[in-house]
Amino acid sequence: MIFEKRTERILVPMFFVVTLFVPLFLESNSFFVDKVTTIIILSIFVMSLD
């Protein structure tokens, strides 16, 4: 099984659900949306360097 601990089985799906709904609350403030987008793009770039 991927998640062996009980906390992992609960917190990881909750994290993904929360991250799906965060842009709905940040829609009015484009500065934070731009920063989060930049962070995501750079993190994908960093993961590809491995």
Side-chain angles (χ1 to χ4, degrees):
M1 189 167 180
I2 295 173
F3 304 118
E4 296 179 10
K5 296 180 183 176
R6 182 174 182 256
T7 56
E8 290 175 347
R9 285 193 303 256
I10 294 172
L11 291 178
V12 172
M14 284 178 54
F15 172 76
F16 286 114
V17 169
V18 168
T19 56
L20 285 174
F21 288 109
V22 165
L24 295 175
F25 299 110
L26 294 176
E27 185 177 347
S28 62
N29 195 346
S30 65
F31 174 77
F32 289 113
V33 175
D34 290 341
K35 289 298 170 188
V36 169
T37 304
T38 304
I39 290 170
I40 291 172
I41 291 171
L42 290 175
S43 66
I44 291 171
F45 174 71
V46 168
M47 287 188 299
S48 71
L49 290 176
D50 186 26

